Amino acid sequence: MSIKKRRIVVKVGTSTLTNSEGRSDLRNMEKLARVLADVNNLGNEIILVSSGAIAVGAHKMRLPESPKELRMKQAAAAVGQSENMFLYDKFFGYYDKTVAQILLNGEDITHEEKKENLTNTFETLLEQGVIPIVNENDSVSYTEIESEEKLFSDNDVLSAVVAVLCKADLLVILSDIDGFYDKDPRFHKDANLLNRIEEINEDTYKLAGGAGSRRGTGGMKTKIQAAEMATTQGTSTLITNGKRPEVLYDIVEGKKVGTLFTAKK
Ligand code: ADP
């Protein structure tokens, strides 16, 4: 698969952006920015979908534990979002890249006029060589943050929505695990990595298990939902490990990494 000079949406989860203390993983964020800047320099258009705002904000506000109350989550999201953007701006800036912040709610995409404006904004930014960085607008939209489904999705589904909206060639979901296995590797030592999936059906969902890790929240289920949404609308989706952002070089060189869900059309 040659995916050179394509439009690529890259989604990073909380487990890639924060360390075991729940603070910003500066080394990994810096590496991610360097690799994405480089992949962009190779002629690919990049859109980054990034979460992690609540965890980072909670730490910065010195909250004793991860916030449970809605208003505290929204406050932490506001603090963490600006911290994340500050870091991205700085790290991408080292490599002469300009970033832009786009915060979205579900209704921005279901409302035709807003959707059109949004598409035009993305197109203009990409045309100008800017790297858009997208997150859910958690401080405004309580439906997003409070509904189990949205809160647990940790931006997996949002990344597919963005990929479809921007007609991306590829959606890369960076996780805390090498890809999609035939059973949860956390509990089964004999789990095997699945390299390629052409059809997402009920059996695929059965392999995905429940919600995910300590710091991440989506688990595999929401990644499969994202892959299903993207592939049925023409965007191939790859799930791989975000602890080594250099894997993106392998991806643009068409090497086999992680799990590839092939596009339907
Ligand atoms: P992230 O924060 O990167 O989005 P999550 O923690 O939300 O990651 O989801 C990844 C987790 O999903 C893995 O660490 C793994 O324990 C769990 N998981 C459940 N079923 C599977 C499966 N079939 N293959 C891979 N991982 C699985």
Side-chain angles (χ1 to χ4, degrees), residues 132-198:
I133 301 183
V134 185
N135 196 3
E136 264 176 1
N137 198 354
D138 286 334
S139 296
V140 171
S141 168
Y142 67 91
T143 48
E144 303 286 322
I145 205 169
E146 265 308 81
S147 106
E148 288 276 296
E149 198 53 30
K150 288 285 170 58
L151 180 63
F152 277 8
S153 88
D154 194 34
N155 278 354
D156 290 329
V157 175
L158 178 73
S159 71
V161 167
V162 170
V164 170
L165 187 80
C166 298
K167 298 189 171 57
D169 301 289
L170 183 71
L171 166 62
V172 178
I173 299 183
L174 296 178
S175 181
D176 62 349
I177 195 142
D178 291 344
F180 184 50
Y181 288 73
D182 58 358
K183 49 193 124 170
D184 188 347
R186 247 187 317 170
F187 306 111
H188 304 274
K189 285 219 160 60
D190 61 338
N192 295 308
L193 182 71
L194 303 167
N195 294 117
R196 192 182 173 93
I197 294 190
E198 313 225 336

Side-chain angles (χ1 to χ4, degrees), residues 33-47:
R34 176 165 51 79
V35 175
L36 287 177
D38 222 7
V39 169
N40 182 236
N41 283 343
L42 288 168
N44 302 285
E45 290 173 331
I46 303 291
I47 298 167

